Amino acid sequence: MKFSGEVPIRRLGPGGPEVPVFALGSWNIWDRMEAAERRALITRAVEVGSAFFDVAYYNMGPHAEASRTDLLFGEALHELGLARSDYRLCGKLWLWEYPATGFAGQMDESLERIARGGAEVGSFDTVVVGDFMSDIDIAQVVRDVQAEIDRGSFASWGVNNWPAESLQLALDTAAGEGLTPPSFAQLKYGIARRSMAEGEFYGRWFREGALALQASDAFEGGILVGKLSPNRKIGADVGGIRARIVAAYPRVAEIARSFGATPAQLGLAFCLANPATANVLFGASSVRQFDDNLGAISLLDAVGADAIRESVAELWLDREVRADGVWAPA
């Protein structure tokens, strides 16, 4: 399906910014393109009102890659001469070496690396705190996040795949100490993986409006758009269901064809069909791919949320994976 017009806006949770429903992620994206392609993709995102970019320095834990993706993004911003008001930025705070590597240092390094390309962005609009580590002092994380908000590094924050009890502690700490609570959760969410976002823990927060959902990894590293043997690093296989997801792809493609849509459009429309979803984060690496993804908005408008969800009901493949974020068999 084709898309025309402007990308819709939703609020990224209570206290969070208004953002387009689609965001472009940075993990191994900007370094998969040539400079002209990077500029063209960012320009297209600005044109359709979807200039929301997840940008991070991948340098800790399993992400200790010394990636240049953030440097290349900063160069593209500078080359395009965009004003800071033309786009929104979501940064990352890593817990892998925290508290030895504090949040202030991480923020300074991330902003300096983007600026190294010539783009003086000043601050992020929001950040995601992750990946979760079991020995972290959650209450202190909330206090240290507040210190960065007070310092002007960003204005709101969310969490990435945190266990439910840890997120509850963060919410309770913020309420008890008058601090800024997380406004959204970035979770693995898509046609095949739904348990965490739709289960009793996060699902309750979403239904109550305490948090918004930022859906990530909706394509399972490309598998659900037909790249059945990804040759690049992709997200963790929570619950060990990836082989089943590969086997499900032909059915995904068949359902998409029945709507006159592509598998990518079906996957993104499914995410947006959940009213808790404020934003979907994906990794388009060309204008053509990005434009195809935009067609998900037209698909959802044409078919409706109920029909989209009913069409893929059989493909919820992680029903037996615990929904509290602990990631163990039920």
Side-chain angles (χ1 to χ4, degrees):
M1 288 193 172
K2 299 291 186 181
F3 172 78
S4 61
E6 289 234 338
V7 170
I9 300 295
R10 297 181 183 178
R11 185 167 293 282
L12 197 57
E18 289 191 337
V19 298
V21 297
F22 289 155
L24 284 165
S26 63
W27 190 21
N28 298 318
I29 291 176
W30 304 110
D31 46 2
R32 299 208 308 263
M33 292 177 272
E34 297 299 323
E37 295 172 317
R38 288 191 287 271
R39 292 192 298 269
L41 182 55
I42 292 171
T43 298
R44 180 61 176 149
V46 172
E47 287 175 349
V48 297
S50 194
F52 183 32
F53 304 105
D54 178 283
V55 182
Y57 178 30
Y58 294 91
N59 66 331
M60 291 186 189
H63 307 304
E65 304 158 356
S67 170
R68 297 187 68 249
T69 192
D70 54 333
L71 298 173
L72 296 171
F73 174 75
E75 289 177 4
L77 285 183
H78 174 64
E79 290 162 357
L80 289 169
L82 295 176
R84 183 62 179 84
S85 58
D86 290 333
Y87 56 88
R88 289 192 177 276
L89 291 179
C90 180
K92 286 282 201 307
L93 287 172
W94 301 113
L95 295 175
W96 291 100
E97 298 174 10
Y98 172 88
T101 302
F103 291 161
Q106 291 188 46
M107 282 287 93
D108 289 346
E109 184 172 34
S110 285
L111 291 167
E112 187 276 330
R113 284 174 63 85
I114 297 172
R116 200 179 300 173
E120 295 287 349
V121 301
S123 64
F124 292 98
D125 294 282
T126 191
V127 298
V128 175
V129 180
D131 296 334
F132 183 78
M133 304 293 290
S134 60
D135 58 349
I136 293 294
D137 182 341
I138 297 299
Q140 191 59 47
V141 167
V142 178
R143 297 178 192 120
D144 288 349
V145 165
Q146 184 66 55
E148 286 306 293
I149 291 174
D150 294 343
R151 200 166 68 103
S153 298
F154 49 84
S156 63
W157 66 293
V159 301
N160 169 254
N161 294 321
W162 280 25
E165 65 176 16
S166 298
L167 177 55
Q168 186 63 65
L169 177 56
L171 292 168
D172 291 345
T173 299
E177 299 183 18
L179 307 176
T180 303
S183 68
F184 67 100
Q186 183 188 97
L187 305 178
K188 284 177 174 287
Y189 183 62
I191 287 172
R193 296 189 190 270
R194 313 179 198 175
S195 288
M196 196 169 178
E198 297 191 12
E200 60 179 308
F201 298 98
Y202 274 89
R204 169 174 59 83
W205 288 313
F206 294 146
R207 287 189 298 272
E208 293 172 354
L211 293 170
L213 168 64
Q214 183 180 68
S216 70
D217 208 14
F219 300 147
E220 194 72 16
I223 291 170
L224 290 176
V225 294
K227 300 174 183 177
L228 302 185
S229 300
N231 58 8
R232 62 182 177 84
K233 182 178 178 181
I234 63 175
D237 180 14
V238 178
I241 63 169
R242 186 154 288 153
R244 294 173 61 199
I245 295 176
V246 171
Y249 172 71
R251 179 59 179 149
V252 172
E254 178 184 18
I255 295 168
R257 284 194 299 271
S258 75
F259 289 128
T262 65
Q265 291 169 352
L266 178 64
L268 294 173
F270 169 81
C271 293
L272 294 179
N274 184 340
T277 303
N279 176 262
V280 186
L281 178 66
F282 55 74
S285 55
S286 70
V287 172
R288 178 199 57 78
Q289 186 182 0
F290 181 67
D291 281 344
D292 180 67
N293 289 355
L294 290 176
I297 298 168
S298 300
L299 173 61
L300 184 61
D301 288 344
V303 175
D306 290 344
I308 292 292
R309 290 184 61 85
E310 288 168 8
S311 74
V312 297
E314 69 193 81
L315 297 174
W316 183 347
L317 301 182
D318 70 340
R319 288 181 183 271
E320 304 306 315
V321 178
R322 279 174 55 166
D324 58 358
V326 177
W327 306 127

